[in-house]
Amino acid sequence: MHSFGYRANALFTFAVTILAFICAIASFTDTLNSPSPTVEVKVLNINWFQKQPNGNDEVSLTLNISTDLQTLFTWNTKQVFVFLTAEYVTPKHALNQISLWDGIIQSKEHSKFTITTSNKYRFIDQGSNLRGKEFNFTLHWHVMPKTGKMFANKIVLPGYRLPEEYR
Ligand SMILES: *[C@@H]1O[C@H](CO)[C@@H](O)[C@H](O)[C@H]1NC(C)=O
Ligand SMILES: *[C@@H]1O[C@H](CO)[C@@H](O)[C@H](O)[C@H]1NC(C)=O
């Protein structure tokens, strides 16, 4: 006869094995999901555009961000961290990446939305490079699963340009 303790222990081991198995399946089915989020960004207004006393350019934009991240959500998704950057090249740096807006999305129901907002974080260049500057908006996301590995990706929206003159 096995003791109660022995049987409880065996049951526990069995339960942990099943749980590990379910977790493995969960993260595996996540890799089968090939998400196809969409985003559109419009610059509705250049609120102002100046050279600061220290010589760095700063611009304030009003943006219309319209995104559909529903396909990032599976039953294994805990939340999605999303951020929008402006990315451009200057003589000094091959990639300048300025974070303008971010958000944490907790559920699929809230993952398709349009917002009109001025940039939440300041758009400042480390120099005086922004006049007439071509840039891309890039929407980056990090998906935090309930179990398994975090994954990240982005959508690049090329072809934006800042005004030639301060205003
Ligand atoms: C923002 O973009 C969405 C999608 O393109 C559009 O339906 C909406 O009218 C725009 N809002 C403004 C204020 O331009
Ligand atoms: C902007 O996007 C274009 C087209 O995808 C790409 O060739 C270019 O390298 C991007 N610029 C930056 C600074 O990432």
Side-chain angles (χ1 to χ4, degrees):
M1 273 299 261
H2 295 311
S3 70
F4 174 76
Y6 178 86
R7 272 190 276 168
N9 190 36
L11 185 64
F12 178 73
T13 306
F14 179 69
V16 167
T17 307
I18 294 282
L19 191 64
F21 184 67
I22 290 173
C23 289
I25 300 253
S27 47
F28 179 68
T29 56
D30 260 6
T31 65
L32 294 181
N33 179 44
S34 51
S36 51
T38 61
V39 63
E40 261 183 72
V41 180
K42 280 181 235 143
V43 178
L44 296 182
N45 194 39
I46 310 283
N47 305 320
W48 44 265
F49 183 20
Q50 294 168 355
K51 186 199 274 245
Q52 298 173 332
N54 65 11
N56 291 341
D57 282 351
E58 177 168 9
V59 62
S60 167
L61 308 171
T62 300
L63 303 173
N64 184 19
I65 306 169
S66 191
T67 188
D68 182 349
L69 305 171
Q70 291 180 98
T71 55
L72 291 177
F73 283 80
T74 68
W75 62 278
N76 189 34
T77 305
K78 188 166 168 222
Q79 60 182 24
V80 174
F81 174 62
V82 62
F83 60 103
L84 184 76
T85 58
E87 305 192 352
Y88 58 96
V89 177
T90 55
K92 263 193 179 161
H93 302 285
L95 178 62
N96 297 267
Q97 215 176 23
I98 316 278
S99 185
L100 299 179
W101 173 86
D102 63 10
I104 292 174
I105 296 143
Q106 309 270 8
S107 71
K108 189 170 185 171
E109 290 69 49
H110 297 111
S111 64
K112 184 178 178 192
F113 56 89
T114 297
I115 55 164
T116 298
T117 176
S118 56
N119 47 292
K120 181 170 166 185
Y121 304 110
R122 296 173 74 182
F123 188 163
I124 303 177
D125 181 52
Q126 296 304 309
S128 177
N129 301 295
L130 294 186
R131 276 169 302 166
K133 177 57 73 185
E134 275 188 38
F135 67 100
N136 297 341
F137 281 119
T138 305
L139 189 77
H140 301 257
W141 60 85
H142 293 249
V143 177
M144 289 155 213
K146 290 176 182 154
T147 172
K149 278 207 299 282
M150 190 175 91
F151 67 94
N153 211 336
K154 64 184 180 183
I155 296 178
V156 179
L157 303 170
Y160 294 82
R161 183 190 278 275
L162 288 169
E164 297 288 347
E165 303 293 335
Y166 297 124
R167 55 173 83 169

